[in-house]
Amino acid sequence: MAGLSLVRVVKRFGTHAAVHEVSLEVQDGELMGLLGPSGCGKTTTLRMIGGFLAPDAGDIRIDDRSVVALPPERRPTAMVFQRFNLWPHMSVAASIAFGLKVRRLSPDAIDRKIRDVLALVGLPGSAGKSPHQLSGGEQQRVAVARALVLEPQILLLDEPFSNLDARLRVHMREEVKQLQRKIGITTVFVTHDQEEALTIADRIAVMNGGVLQQVDTPAALYGRPRTLFVADFIGTMNLFPASALPAGEGIAAGPWRLSVPGARWPEGAEVTVAVRPEDLIVTPDGGAATVRRVVNLGHYLQVLLECPGAGLLRMFTEKSAPFTEGQALRLGIVRALAFHDAEVVEIGGPMRPSLAARDRGAGRPDAP
Amino acid sequence: MTESRRQGALGLALVLPPLCLLFFLVVVPAVTAVVETLAPGPGGSAGLTVARYAEVLSAKVIRTDIAFSVVVTLISVAAVFVLGYPLALYLRFSPGRLASLLAVVFTIPLFVPVVIASFAMITFLVNHGLVSTVLYRLGIETFPPLVYNATGIVLTEVWASLPFAVLILGAGLQAIDDSLIDSARDVGAGRVRTFATIILPLNAIPTRITLTLLFISVFGSFTIPYLVGGNAPQMLGVTMTNYLTQYLRRTDAVTMAVLAFVIAAAVGVVYVASVSRRERDV
């Protein structure tokens, strides 16, 4: 087992930088998710780790040894692809044995390893089958077995379940998580499905436009996104524009006036405020809003609210909450993030809307 | 029920013209020809006889021509395959401008009529042609003649057939998904092993199709051996034409044609087997 580090890795296709100066540390035994929209460079990054693409600059180190110069067949990595993993002209056993034969293991050892690894992935007794006799999920399990049988130091998974139906996908990712825990292998998992990443990854590296946005635990990514992209991409987020008030007075965002601790933004600077739907509450001293739509999502309600100056906002509440369409109410923000250029400030605690503040003649912002 | 019957009738109506063409222009003449060669000669007894085949095959010159045709064809096919496969691999796996340029350049022979290509090869390969001159300049003064013999036929056949082979082999290679090849590299196979154990078997059907079609087209070719070949031995296409138009021995020509058909049909079986297997796999 080993750690993996990427050091300022760059990959260009023509003049387009598919991956731009990505640095990433994956700890020994960690499951790292590489998450981003399609075209963000996550698969390119994975293929560089596997050796299928050569970086134009930077270094890739496994166990503190540079592997950049090594072709895929000489890297201690094993990859599971999105699809077309299994060779159609080989049986399951032959597929798994392929890499072992390359390594010149004895037939006895090969047989034993095939048996063990098929038991590990839950497919004992399918050694003699050919790929077209297996379901999509079984094929991917065999692909995982073929990768694991070589005892690689790093396991690479390139959206391995995206071709499976939704139910099976959920089942398979749990299985992979358990398998990964059991053998403790360092794993890098590419996905565009944030739910997949949030549920199984120890940490997630979010990429966009070839740039690494943030590397954090799922909880931290959700709670403290560091860029506007991550705030918008992970989970559901309400975003609306705000502008900075004179120094020390915070920002004006829709009906609210929010204090921004520590920020020194020039008056009138454009700020974007991000609020999670569950951080909106109904409070008597909140800003005015109108209920537009109430959607019952089973165990909770999603309420769409029209809020002058902030646009359409989403609020999640418990399903017994009494809301009717067209109802007027006052909305407060429990917690928010304010983004200005590359800077982000966390705004916490109870917030008083600017309207209410003016009513009371208190022009100063609330303390966080 | 009537709807499906009407559909069936429409389908039949659509395939009927080509079916008629096939029947009257291929099946009927072929059967007539076979019957003709098996019919006893004037004054002979009733029934069928293989006497004509025995007679044709007893002629040493014809036996030589048949053997010559098979050997020239096998060498041409082997040469096309050996030259074409690396080219197809290169076009499939090498990105870049040189590969895209080559992909266009190598198809040029497809657009050159065989007659023109044959004369071009003759002027290129004759005693005082470009190749001879270059060899002389390089100090090689004695070498076997390059044209009006088997060498000339093989060289011209290779020139004319290479694009076709590369296209079919390349289409087959294109159909192999990258991840099948990447996964072989990933588990430790080098380039040679990946080629031998993954690419070659996965491309087996297009390969067989290429080889059989090449064999049949070279074996049955006329223009190239007629123009570039020597006087004797000759390939069967030329021999048949000579028997038909020069020696006016029609039945002997037809008998040779049936023999040629039998050889081609034996190879054709491989093609049909490959194609039907591919359809079953799909």
Side-chain angles (χ1 to χ4, degrees):
Chain A
M1 297 307 137
L4 164 75
S5 52
L6 307 189
V7 188
R8 298 170 73 87
V9 170
V10 175
K11 180 69 194 176
R12 288 183 210 93
F13 293 121
T15 54
H16 165 72
V19 172
H20 187 69
E21 300 216 341
V22 166
S23 295
L24 181 65
E25 291 284 337
V26 185
Q27 307 301 321
D28 186 4
E30 188 176 28
L31 202 170
M32 173 69 79
L34 271 182
L35 177 67
S38 46
C40 73
K42 57 191 190 299
T43 295
T44 304
T45 305
L46 194 76
R47 290 180 67 79
M48 284 194 282
I49 300 171
F52 299 106
L53 284 173
D56 294 315
D59 197 10
I60 297 170
R61 306 180 75 81
I62 294 172
D63 231 1
D64 218 26
R65 198 168 58 95
S66 175
V67 295
V68 164
L70 299 179
E73 62 265 30
R74 294 185 46 212
R75 289 198 189 188
T77 56
M79 186 135 152
V80 176
F81 296 85
Q82 199 170 352
R83 59 203 187 116
F84 298 121
N85 265 298
L86 301 182
W87 302 300
H89 62 299
M90 288 189 197
S91 69
V92 167
S95 281
I96 298 172
F98 188 82
L100 299 169
K101 280 185 184 157
V102 173
R103 285 163 179 71
R104 297 175 194 287
L105 264 70
S106 73
D108 285 349
I110 291 177
D111 283 350
R112 201 176 54 246
K113 278 176 182 285
I114 291 173
R115 238 189 352 262
D116 291 351
V117 81
L118 281 178
L120 184 69
V121 298
L123 284 176
S126 57
K129 290 187 180 165
S130 52
H132 69 262
Q133 292 173 290
L134 302 174
S135 70
E138 288 171 334
Q139 290 188 13
Q140 292 306 69
R141 278 184 221 203
V142 174
V144 171
R146 183 183 63 192
L148 289 180
V149 79
L150 302 172
E151 294 165 21
Q153 293 182 316
I154 314 276
L155 180 64
L156 306 173
L157 305 164
D158 183 9
E159 308 209 18
F161 311 129
S162 60
N163 277 330
L164 307 180
D165 65 61
R167 195 180 281 263
L168 187 59
R169 194 155 60 222
V170 171
H171 178 69
M172 285 294 288
R173 73 186 182 214
E174 287 308 320
E175 257 185 35
V176 159
K177 177 68 187 171
Q178 279 170 23
L179 195 63
Q180 190 265 344
R181 278 219 181 115
K182 190 157 136 195
I183 57 178
I185 186 170
T186 311
T187 304
V188 182
F189 186 110
V190 160
T191 180
H192 64 270
D193 178 352
Q194 52 163 303
E195 189 190 322
E196 193 160 279
L198 291 168
T199 47
I200 70 167
D202 296 320
R203 284 193 304 153
I204 300 171
V206 181
M207 291 185 73
N208 185 40
V211 177
L212 193 59
Q213 300 280 323
Q214 185 172 353
V215 186
D216 243 319
T217 61
L221 276 183
Y222 187 84
R224 290 185 300 280
R226 282 213 300 268
T227 69
L228 204 48
F229 173 81
V230 176
D232 192 21
F233 188 71
I234 302 286
T236 310
M237 186 69 98
N238 294 301
L239 296 171
F240 49 92
S243 67
L245 295 167
E249 294 193 16
I251 55 172
W256 299 282
R257 176 176 294 189
L258 309 173
S259 79
V260 196
R264 295 172 191 284
W265 295 331
E267 188 179 350
E270 288 176 12
V271 177
T272 303
V273 176
V275 185
R276 292 284 178 204
E278 63 272 27
D279 290 336
L280 284 173
I281 51 159
V282 178
T283 164
D285 59 353
T290 314
V291 176
R292 282 281 166 251
R293 224 165 103 67
V294 182
V295 183
N296 191 334
L297 291 173
H299 54 292
Y300 64 97
L301 290 184
Q302 175 180 293
V303 184
L304 280 176
L305 299 143
E306 174 85 47
C307 184
L312 215 53
L313 301 179
R314 264 185 271 213
M315 175 169 71
F316 293 159
T317 67
E318 55 184 300
K319 75 179 165 195
S320 58
F323 287 106
T324 50
E325 294 180 9
Q327 178 189 346
L329 46 75
R330 288 193 168 265
L331 211 54
I333 297 172
V334 177
R335 198 178 156 277
L337 293 164
F339 292 86
H340 172 65
D341 290 337
E343 222 180 319
V344 52
V345 178
E346 205 173 324
I347 307 169
M351 267 156 264
R352 198 191 300 166
S354 53
L355 275 174
R358 201 175 300 146
D359 288 347
R360 289 171 194 173
R364 64 193 160 71
D366 289 304
Chain B
M1 220 39 204
T2 47
E3 179 59 27
S4 71
R5 204 172 288 168
R6 200 178 301 147
Q7 290 267 325
L10 180 70
L12 197 64
L14 284 172
V15 295
L16 212 55
L19 222 56
C20 284
L21 209 66
L22 186 75
F23 185 74
F24 288 109
L25 294 183
V26 178
V27 178
V28 171
V31 172
T32 325
V34 173
V35 169
E36 186 185 334
T37 59
L38 292 172
S45 56
L48 299 176
T49 164
V50 291
R52 283 188 199 288
Y53 289 91
E55 192 191 319
V56 164
L57 287 174
S58 72
K60 187 167 179 263
V61 66
I62 293 176
R63 286 207 309 275
T64 313
D65 283 356
I66 292 175
F68 180 78
S69 302
V70 171
V71 170
V72 165
T73 303
L74 287 177
I75 293 174
S76 303
V77 171
V80 169
F81 187 72
V82 167
L83 293 172
Y85 216 111
L87 185 53
L89 284 172
Y90 179 78
L91 295 178
R92 163 70 175 83
F93 293 109
S94 300
R97 247 178 236 165
L98 182 63
S100 1
L101 184 71
L102 264 179
V104 175
V105 169
F106 90 92
T107 56
I108 286 176
L110 278 180
F111 303 101
V112 178
V114 178
V115 181
I116 296 171
S118 300
F119 279 113
M121 284 302 266
I122 291 170
T123 45
F124 190 58
L125 297 171
V126 282
N127 274 344
H128 301 289
L130 184 67
V131 175
S132 303
T133 313
V134 169
L135 288 176
Y136 269 120
R137 288 282 162 84
L138 291 174
I140 305 165
E141 297 189 354
T142 49
F143 48 88
L146 298 171
V147 77
Y148 302 126
N149 56 16
T151 313
I153 299 176
V154 169
L155 288 174
T156 315
E157 295 280 10
V158 168
W159 190 89
S161 304
L162 199 57
F164 164 78
V166 174
L167 282 179
I168 308 254
L169 290 172
L173 292 175
Q174 215 70 52
I176 302 175
D177 196 87
D178 278 341
S179 61
L180 291 173
I181 294 157
D182 285 346
S183 33
R185 298 288 303 281
D186 193 51
V187 297
R191 286 170 197 280
V192 175
R193 196 178 191 118
T194 303
F195 174 72
T197 53
I198 306 294
I199 297 175
L200 211 53
L202 287 180
N203 203 28
I205 291 169
T207 303
R208 270 201 294 264
I209 292 173
T210 310
L211 291 177
T212 49
L213 290 183
L214 273 180
F215 183 94
I216 291 166
S217 88
V218 174
F219 187 74
S221 65
F222 171 75
T223 315
I224 293 172
Y226 182 73
L227 295 172
V228 188
N231 285 327
Q234 256 302 2
M235 284 185 69
L236 270 181
V238 180
T239 316
M240 277 184 265
T241 312
N242 286 342
Y243 271 73
L244 188 69
T245 61
Q246 310 291 315
Y247 318 147
L248 301 178
R249 296 179 65 165
R250 193 189 120 80
T251 318
D252 286 349
V254 174
T255 309
M256 275 184 260
V258 173
L259 285 172
F261 171 73
V262 168
I263 294 171
V267 175
V269 168
V270 179
Y271 172 82
V272 173
S274 305
V275 172
S276 59
R277 180 189 298 182
R278 182 167 63 170
E279 270 160 12
R280 246 182 295 132
D281 284 352
V282 167

